[in-house]
Amino acid sequence: MEENAVPAKGFDDPGHEDLGIVVGTDGSEISYQAVAWAAVEAGMRGCPLHIVTSYASPIVPGAPELGPDDLRELSLKGQQVLADAASIAAHAVPGESLHISTELIFDMITGALIERSRRARLLVVGNRGLGAVRRAVLGSVSTVLARQAHCPVAIVHGVSETDPASAPKPVVIGVDGSLNSVPAIELAFEEASQRKVGLIAVHAWSDTSGFDMPVMGWDAIHTSQDVVLEAALAGYAERYPDVTVRRVVACDTPVRALLEQAENAQLVVVGSHGRGGFAGMVLGSVSTALLHLAQCPVLVVRRPSQNRVEEPAGQ
């Protein structure tokens, strides 16, 4: 383990300190990729990295109750997962002074991560993965986290920015012209600036007919929708002069338009909900689709007012 990695330890401080970036891992390959991605992100932001895993077993009707020896074995496996994750995080940012803390819990991972998101700048998980500790699909919680977390949520897929080939690729932002996309735009510019890459702003328009047919008067529609997109991005060029922006107005559904741009991107940023330039579609359905279909990490950003949501149902 590198010197910048803190040895695996429990986390029992109930205070309100900044946890920095919180990443959940279950011992699967994709969750370790999420840890590496989160470590790079923490290094860029200059904030701590907090790694969480759970050794709680899902409640299965009729299953025998776990004895002390079973719990001890699960705990040891959890400690090993955290040790491996901390080592991966340290190696992902060699030479960086990155503070890494780890936490082993005996709670259902979804609710635990949502609670910790109250003190996090960003929550990171893999989009899927069979856990070595919980024996559950980590990806099954990603949609819930994106909807209920109190901070932005990054869902990491198999392709990670830790791959050198991803370094020059741009960041993509979905813009629908509503207030819900404003925090996402802000964060997308920050991410592009930190990565020293360009930003592709995508505004999708569709007649919602469901048929791939030419749209009458598309030139006029394109011009009017480009004005909407330009207005949504107003002021950011002055605040982020180092970020080159390419505007894309697509005559397509939001999901297809964003997936097309995501094919050559290192990160896609979207709001969690919103109506407007996305032809009346709820952006929540778009972000949910991207979580499962995009091949690069997807960062879902919710408006502060959306953080006041119902508590998760105990998963």
Side-chain angles (χ1 to χ4, degrees), residues 53-83:
T53 195
S54 170
Y55 69 100
S57 296
I59 300 176
V60 179
E65 184 176 350
L66 296 177
D69 291 340
D70 298 318
L71 294 175
R72 189 177 302 109
E73 181 180 355
L74 288 173
S75 178
L76 289 174
K77 289 181 179 180
Q79 293 175 36
Q80 185 60 54
V81 167
L82 289 177

Side-chain angles (χ1 to χ4, degrees), residues 87-143:
S87 179
I88 289 170
H91 283 86
V93 284
E96 295 279 349
S97 179
L98 179 63
H99 177 75
I100 302 172
S101 60
T102 62
E103 181 181 7
L104 178 62
I105 61 175
F106 189 66
D107 297 301
M108 292 297 99
I109 193 67
T110 307
L113 290 176
I114 290 174
E115 176 58 33
R116 282 146 187 79
S117 74
R118 296 178 184 271
R119 293 175 283 154
R121 305 184 195 183
L122 177 67
L123 179 62
V124 183
V125 292
N127 73 316
R128 55 181 170 76
L130 187 61
V133 178
R134 286 191 61 223
R135 310 305 299 172
V137 179
L138 186 61
S140 65
V141 307
S142 61
T143 301

Side-chain angles (χ1 to χ4, degrees), residues 10-33:
F11 185 83
D12 54 11
D13 184 356
H16 299 284
E17 75 284 2
D18 178 12
L19 293 179
I21 293 178
V22 174
V23 56
T25 182
D26 62 0
S28 62
E29 180 180 356
I30 186 62
S31 75
Y32 284 148
Q33 290 177 353

Side-chain angles (χ1 to χ4, degrees), residues 3-307:
E3 292 182 356
N4 58 344
V6 176
K9 62 180 181 180
F11 185 83
D12 54 11
D13 184 356
H16 299 284
E17 75 284 2
D18 178 12
L19 293 179
I21 293 178
V22 174
V23 56
T25 182
D26 62 0
S28 62
E29 180 180 356
I30 186 62
S31 75
Y32 284 148
Q33 290 177 353
V35 168
W37 190 93
V40 173
E41 185 75 15
M44 288 191 298
R45 296 188 181 202
C47 69
L49 177 68
H50 187 61
I51 307 171
V52 182
T53 195
S54 170
Y55 69 100
S57 296
I59 300 176
V60 179
E65 184 176 350
L66 296 177
D69 291 340
D70 298 318
L71 294 175
R72 189 177 302 109
E73 181 180 355
L74 288 173
S75 178
L76 289 174
K77 289 181 179 180
Q79 293 175 36
Q80 185 60 54
V81 167
L82 289 177
D84 292 342
S87 179
I88 289 170
H91 283 86
V93 284
E96 295 279 349
S97 179
L98 179 63
H99 177 75
I100 302 172
S101 60
T102 62
E103 181 181 7
L104 178 62
I105 61 175
F106 189 66
D107 297 301
M108 292 297 99
I109 193 67
T110 307
L113 290 176
I114 290 174
E115 176 58 33
R116 282 146 187 79
S117 74
R118 296 178 184 271
R119 293 175 283 154
R121 305 184 195 183
L122 177 67
L123 179 62
V124 183
V125 292
N127 73 316
R128 55 181 170 76
L130 187 61
V133 178
R134 286 191 61 223
R135 310 305 299 172
V137 179
L138 186 61
S140 65
V141 307
S142 61
T143 301
V144 176
L145 294 176
R147 290 175 177 172
Q148 298 192 13
H150 301 275
C151 67
V153 177
I155 311 298
V156 176
H157 297 68
V159 178
S160 171
E161 75 166 38
T162 55
D163 179 356
S166 297
K169 294 182 177 181
V171 171
V172 171
I173 171 68
V175 182
D176 70 352
S178 73
L179 290 177
N180 289 300
S181 65
V182 172
I185 295 171
E186 176 76 35
L187 190 52
F189 270 92
E190 291 181 6
E191 294 289 339
S193 180
Q194 289 173 344
R195 290 166 167 76
K196 304 184 186 308
V197 298
L199 179 68
I200 300 177
V202 180
H203 181 78
W205 186 94
S206 172
D207 64 358
T208 68
S209 66
F211 299 97
D212 293 325
M213 299 176 63
V215 175
M216 299 298 294
W218 169 242
D219 288 343
I221 294 172
H222 182 280
T223 299
S224 66
Q225 295 304 306
D226 188 55
V227 170
V228 173
L229 178 55
E230 184 179 18
L233 300 175
Y236 290 100
E238 292 75 19
R239 294 168 57 188
Y240 298 92
D242 57 324
V243 177
T244 301
V245 180
R246 179 165 69 89
R247 301 199 305 269
V248 174
V249 176
C251 181
D252 206 342
T253 64
V255 172
R256 289 193 301 194
L258 288 169
L259 285 175
E260 181 179 354
Q261 297 300 327
E263 290 180 359
N264 191 40
Q266 62 172 279
L267 177 68
V268 175
V269 184
V270 291
S272 61
H273 293 85
R275 295 180 183 271
F278 282 88
M281 287 188 65
V282 177
L283 190 56
S285 64
V286 176
S287 57
T288 299
L290 290 172
L291 296 185
H292 299 289
L293 298 176
Q295 295 303 305
C296 65
V298 176
L299 180 53
V300 180
V301 187
R302 302 170 64 237
R303 290 180 63 195
S305 61
Q306 291 177 325
N307 289 338

